[in-house]
Amino acid sequence: MVDLKFRVLNMDAYQYASSPTIKMDIEILNNDKDEIISVVGKIDIFLEFVSYDQNFGTPLVGREYLTSGNMVSPKFTDTCNVTVNVPITAEMDANILYRLRESKRTTLIPFIITLDGFALYKNGDKFLYYQLPTEPLLEAKYYMSIDKWNSIIRTFYGADLVWIKLRRDVVDKIEERKRKYFYLSYTDLIEDLLKRTEEKENVQK
């Protein structure tokens, strides 16, 4: 019988991602020693928080869903390290800050990471399928300092950096113009287009 556990080794910004993303380094532990062909599953990240009863001030522990990612491990026997990339948003940051303030936490952010999926493994000459536990799901806790979280957020949402959502055909046209006229960056291209538009508007006046 497969006996798997996992832990989170690190969470950090994915520096060169095309959209705001964190990379999570996970170690999977196999206590049964059968050869694991692959562990495939969905990783969910929750924020553990504490709220207080308005009448009696009793602390109540809860969790709030934040984001998800997919995981596929390579073949292993004892342990295996896997990197999972998960998207983040400005709304996620706002929720974390609100819950921390409500929980009266000032230094560490408690993340709960769950794994839902299956394992393919080899026992002798047989290839077998194992459904990972669902009640409860496999889970691990990871504490991140608030300073580190703020650093991750500043990587993608700094004071001078904003992410915008555009249709694919618009992005293709911008990319084509950027290459055709040798703009060094998308910012240079957009600034030039705005300047030309303002000049036309001034002439029309």
Side-chain angles (χ1 to χ4, degrees):
M1 178 64 70
V2 173
D3 182 13
L4 297 175
K5 291 181 173 57
F6 78 98
R7 61 175 179 160
V8 178
L9 302 177
N10 189 42
M11 291 171 64
D12 211 337
Y14 186 175
Q15 294 286 345
Y16 303 105
S18 59
S19 61
T21 304
I22 54 176
K23 61 178 182 177
M24 185 164 48
D25 297 323
I26 293 176
E27 181 183 50
I28 306 174
L29 309 173
N30 176 23
N31 296 317
D32 189 58
K33 307 309 178 186
D34 280 329
E35 183 182 31
I36 304 296
I37 305 302
S38 184
V39 178
V40 181
K42 178 187 176 188
I43 294 287
D44 287 331
I45 301 179
F46 298 84
L47 173 68
E48 184 181 78
F49 64 90
V50 178
S51 59
Y52 293 88
D53 184 278
Q54 293 183 351
N55 296 321
F56 304 101
T58 306
L60 305 171
V61 179
R63 60 177 61 179
E64 180 174 342
Y65 170 79
L66 295 175
T67 185
S68 299
N70 296 317
M71 184 189 77
V72 179
S73 81
K75 183 187 298 185
F76 69 100
T77 301
D78 298 317
T79 64
C80 172
N81 289 350
V82 184
T83 298
V84 178
N85 298 325
V86 294
I88 60 174
T89 64
E91 290 78 11
M92 179 175 163
D93 177 49
N95 289 341
I96 288 175
L97 295 179
Y98 169 77
R99 290 299 188 183
L100 289 177
R101 188 162 52 247
E102 185 182 50
S103 300
K104 302 177 183 178
R105 296 181 185 270
T106 58
T107 56
L108 295 175
I109 304 172
F111 291 109
I112 302 291
I113 296 89
T114 64
L115 172 59
D116 184 12
F118 62 90
L120 300 175
Y121 69 103
K122 187 176 181 181
N123 188 316
D125 295 330
K126 296 181 179 179
F127 290 91
L128 302 171
Y129 170 94
Y130 173 73
Q131 177 68 49
L132 298 180
T134 57
E135 293 184 1
L137 294 171
L138 293 179
E139 67 176 44
K141 183 175 285 190
Y142 180 80
Y143 289 94
M144 180 185 292
S145 72
I146 292 178
D147 288 342
K148 183 174 183 179
W149 174 254
N150 288 337
S151 175
I152 290 173
I153 289 299
R154 282 195 296 270
T155 300
F156 301 110
Y157 297 102
D160 299 324
L161 184 64
V162 175
W163 292 79
I164 59 175
K165 184 176 181 179
L166 300 173
R167 293 198 319 269
R168 169 54 60 185
D169 62 311
V170 175
V171 173
D172 291 341
K173 289 179 181 178
I174 292 174
E175 177 65 25
E176 181 181 354
R177 188 174 184 86
K178 176 176 175 289
R179 292 178 178 277
K180 182 177 180 180
Y181 295 101
F182 303 102
Y183 287 101
L184 296 179
S185 68
Y186 296 109
T187 299
D188 290 341
L189 186 155
I190 293 172
E191 284 180 340
D192 187 48
L193 291 176
L194 289 173
K195 181 180 178 181
R196 291 169 183 268
T197 301
E198 290 173 355
E199 289 174 350
K200 288 182 179 179
E201 290 175 347
N202 291 333
V203 170
Q204 292 175 356
K205 291 179 181 179

